[in-house]
Amino acid sequence: MSERDMLVFASKFARHGNINMVYKVSKQEPHTDRTSNARCYATHLLTACFRRADLSRAVQMFDSLEKESGHQPSIVESNTLLATYSRVKDKEGAMARFDSLVNAGFRPNSSTYAILMKMFAKDSDYQATQMLYERAMSESVELSFEMVDALVLAQTINGRVREAEQTLEESLELNLKASRRPEVFVEGDQSRTRMWNTLLGHYAMTGQLDKVAALQKRMASANIAFNSATYGCLISAFCIKNKPEVAMKILKSVMPDARIRPTELHYAIIMSSFIAQNNVNNVFHLAKHMKSRGLKPAVSTQNALIRASAKVDEREKPDGLGEEANFTATRAEKLLDQTLDRLDPAQLASLGPIIYSGSAPNVALYASYFPFMIALYGRHKRFDKVTELYDKFLSTSRKFDPEGKDPAPILMLSALMTAYHEAGEYEEIDKCWDLALQQAKRVACPSNGDTSQPGWVLYKHRHLLDQHLNTYMMSLAARSRVDEIATVIESLHEAGYALANINWNKYVQVLTQGDRAPLAYEICETKLMDGWPGWDQMGSKNHLKRKFYGPLSPKGWERERPFPDYETLVYLASAYLDVQAMPYGRGKSLLHEFERVAPRAVEAVVRMPRFEFDELQARLLSRD
């Protein structure tokens, strides 16, 4: 085999993250003097480490380059190492390495700044991203598509949408270059398309179909080509609006007509939307369609199939008393075991989306399969299964993380808290809450690591503890410790976390108990009623409840939209009836207080229609 062929093989193995094979090929170099190709093999080895997100090995290889290869690290090798730091979300390590390289004479280029800017932009650290952008310009570094894309991403994530729009328009007049070897360092296109897709994705995930259409029209007028991600944004927008059938037509017809091949992510988005509608048949249909197109299962599609399989298991659960203890998600567990058996860290070599807050990529590869199943068995009070699944998670962790460096991910802690709440194990919930706070602090802190000042939480992570907080509030209420919740909320606000709609609703529900009803009404009025359309806007009574639970209720992407849940209004109505039943003087005084602090909430409660056969109203409003 020729020297050139050996290098080609090494390059292919590197792109697939096969470090051992790259090393083996390098040792079989046919020439006795390997120094001419030493730099190439070193680059391939570092690229393989990047693909596998193996930072410790990348650092070891990089630090030994001069000793073993007899040359100073090149800019390509240095950028590959920085990209590996970025991939495992080690911001402090990346900047420390960057500073040491600069002090040693390293001159960063556009790829260097693109790597670092994207790392901070993804973490919503706008100040750090902007600082790097300005530093690059001060050093006369040629601006690249990827650098501007990172700036647009940081602006968009931080709610600076107008600035992002302005940056995109101004970029049309700039002579931008593509960073060197972007397929390795920056996960994106060399064209302008990715920059525009960033803002397009924001509009899609916030359900603004009109702005999605307007921005796509602007892209077309500026001769910016659509790509796979562009259509992914459009698919996401229709799924957010509960129109997965339209999204499926885009996937099956529009994209093929445009000669753009759908990816696993397109399928996963639509599958998740069908799951939300309890339409599992279409989920399995899409899985077959994806397989027929030669696409292999990804983390996201396997998660969707596990959820769909669990829904089938729940449908087939025997009815009757005492059956909860016998519930087993047979199909879902079988699929989970098959998925875990096929896992290989080399899957990280495909730069597909593995999104799991607070986790390194190796953890994200397997951890995302467990929270749903743990929460599922917790709801069905199968605590033996919860323990079994958590033990399976730990054994899988030891396989992928033998040194135990990565703690349980934040979403895993949320699932465990839910299960512990069902079991009444409140001390375990306290432990999970404390651990979640520690994990969130590690994930949400700014690049300088300073958490001593108020508001230190990065904007992107302000809702990191939404689900954990709800379970923790319920556990405090169950122990008659409702008054402690205000202190918890105050400390979260001081750090910079924001309470979501679900949190304010749950807090109001908890406060309706006992003599805290006036505070419940006041919080509902100030935090939730601004988004209340009134019963008259909800349609006919026959369809009112369905609509209330449907499109008018806030979606996940509307976390901060003020809107009282149906359950919240029923709890408030129950408190209202309790006050009416009090002795005349006391009851009248409290009703006046309700009307004073919460006139809109009182009106919504008083005008609430009664639904026949509604279990919640029957349980909370019946006074027979």
Side-chain angles (χ1 to χ4, degrees), residues 350-546:
S350 71
L351 291 173
I354 301 178
I355 303 169
Y356 207 74
S357 295
S359 303
N362 262 353
V363 182
L365 181 64
Y366 60 84
S368 63
Y369 295 119
F370 288 92
F372 169 77
M373 293 295 294
I374 287 176
L376 173 72
Y377 277 125
R379 289 197 305 271
H380 287 281
K381 303 186 185 304
R382 285 298 310 272
F383 306 115
D384 56 328
K385 284 289 186 180
V386 170
T387 302
E388 179 183 323
L389 280 169
Y390 188 60
D391 288 342
K392 186 178 293 185
F393 163 75
L394 294 177
S395 65
T396 308
S397 296
R398 286 189 287 271
K399 175 182 175 182
F400 287 90
D401 180 30
E403 297 180 7
K405 294 180 180 178
D406 293 303
I410 287 180
L411 288 182
M412 177 70 71
L413 294 172
S414 174
L416 286 171
M417 289 176 72
T418 301
Y420 286 139
H421 180 72
E422 292 290 343
E425 297 184 18
Y426 301 124
E427 290 185 1
E428 294 300 320
I429 292 178
D430 290 342
K431 293 177 183 177
C432 286
W433 172 250
D434 290 339
L435 186 55
L437 288 174
Q438 296 173 24
Q439 285 283 78
K441 188 174 184 178
R442 181 175 66 87
V443 173
C445 69
S447 58
N448 59 14
D450 183 12
T451 60
S452 61
Q453 300 299 318
W456 55 264
V457 173
L458 291 170
Y459 184 83
K460 174 184 176 182
H461 299 299
R462 66 195 186 282
H463 289 293
L464 195 58
L465 295 171
D466 287 355
Q467 297 295 338
H468 308 74
L469 177 59
N470 261 23
T471 307
Y472 189 53
M473 285 193 293
M474 289 188 292
S475 76
L476 290 176
R479 290 175 280 179
S480 301
R481 293 166 55 186
V482 175
D483 292 336
E484 296 179 25
I485 297 176
T487 304
V488 172
I489 292 175
E490 183 180 355
S491 65
L492 291 175
H493 275 160
E494 184 178 357
Y497 293 104
L499 264 66
N501 178 286
I502 58 171
N503 301 132
W504 289 120
N505 274 283
K506 183 59 66 177
Y507 189 30
V508 170
Q509 294 166 24
V510 166
L511 286 173
T512 56
Q513 306 168 21
D515 59 355
R516 304 177 186 87
L519 180 58
Y521 268 88
E522 182 178 356
I523 290 177
C524 182
E525 182 76 16
T526 57
K527 301 297 183 181
L528 299 173
M529 292 307 294
D530 285 348
W532 173 243
W535 293 108
D536 294 339
Q537 303 298 318
M538 302 290 280
S540 64
K541 183 175 179 179
N542 291 336
H543 301 286
L544 187 148
K545 185 181 176 184
R546 177 182 61 81

Side-chain angles (χ1 to χ4, degrees), residues 556-600:
W557 45 267
E558 292 180 295
R559 289 188 179 98
E560 296 182 19
R561 174 189 170 193
F563 196 98
D565 288 349
Y566 170 71
E567 186 176 0
T568 297
L569 292 177
V570 176
Y571 268 94
L572 288 172
S574 177
Y576 195 90
L577 292 176
D578 289 341
V579 170
Q580 281 186 323
M582 289 180 178
Y584 179 75
R586 171 65 173 159
K588 184 176 180 181
S589 175
L590 280 177
L591 290 178
H592 282 316
E593 180 67 10
F594 289 172
E595 292 172 356
R596 184 184 69 81
V597 300
R600 293 176 296 177

Side-chain angles (χ1 to χ4, degrees), residues 34 40 226-227 363 487:
R34 300 190 183 98
C40 293
F226 289 8
N227 64 7
V363 182
T487 304

Side-chain angles (χ1 to χ4, degrees), residues 309 313 327-335 377:
S309 299
D313 289 325
F327 170 72
T328 303
T330 307
R331 290 179 178 81
E333 277 202 56
K334 182 179 179 181
L335 184 56
Y377 277 125

Side-chain angles (χ1 to χ4, degrees), residues 22-172:
V22 175
Y23 188 77
K24 186 176 180 180
V25 171
S26 72
K27 293 303 180 182
Q28 293 178 356
E29 167 68 53
H31 289 73
T32 55
D33 182 10
R34 300 190 183 98
T35 57
S36 61
N37 290 328
R39 187 182 297 272
C40 293
Y41 283 117
T43 301
H44 292 326
L45 283 168
L46 286 169
T47 299
C49 291
F50 164 75
R51 293 286 187 173
R52 290 180 72 96
D54 191 341
L55 178 60
S56 60
R57 199 162 179 182
V59 170
Q60 181 183 3
M61 289 179 180
F62 186 87
D63 290 340
S64 64
L65 278 176
E66 184 176 7
K67 179 181 178 181
E68 295 186 1
S69 305
H71 69 267
Q72 291 285 343
S74 68
I75 192 165
V76 174
E77 292 157 350
S78 300
N79 284 344
T80 307
L81 178 63
L82 291 174
T84 309
Y85 276 106
S86 174
R87 191 153 198 221
V88 300
K89 304 177 182 179
D90 186 354
K91 296 175 292 185
E92 293 79 9
M95 291 308 296
R97 176 67 68 165
F98 174 72
D99 290 338
S100 68
L101 287 171
V102 171
N103 292 335
F106 169 72
R107 294 191 63 182
N109 63 4
S110 59
S111 285
T112 312
Y113 281 107
I115 292 164
L116 298 175
M117 287 176 64
K118 182 60 68 72
M119 175 180 66
F120 286 113
K122 285 182 176 179
D123 218 17
S124 79
D125 195 335
Y126 174 74
Q127 290 183 340
T129 307
Q130 180 70 25
M131 179 195 70
L132 286 164
Y133 187 75
E134 292 174 353
R135 176 172 174 173
M137 289 194 295
S138 69
E139 295 176 359
S140 300
V141 173
E142 191 174 1
L143 293 181
S144 68
F145 292 114
E146 290 81 8
M147 291 172 64
V148 178
D149 175 41
L151 183 61
V152 171
L153 177 62
Q155 291 168 336
T156 303
I157 291 178
N158 283 274
R160 299 169 175 259
V161 179
R162 298 253 178 134
E163 291 181 27
E165 292 173 346
Q166 183 178 353
T167 300
L168 287 174
E169 290 293 339
E170 291 174 352
S171 72
L172 294 174

Side-chain angles (χ1 to χ4, degrees), residues 266-307:
H266 296 109
Y267 284 91
I269 293 169
I270 303 174
M271 290 163 77
S272 297
S273 186
F274 278 125
I275 289 173
Q277 294 183 348
N278 290 316
N279 188 343
V280 296
N281 291 334
N282 273 343
V283 176
F284 296 123
H285 166 73
L286 280 170
K288 291 180 180 178
H289 188 271
M290 184 177 73
K291 186 177 180 180
S292 71
R293 296 301 184 271
L295 292 173
K296 295 181 179 180
V299 173
S300 50
T301 54
Q302 285 301 102
N303 264 314
L305 285 172
I306 289 172
R307 289 170 180 262

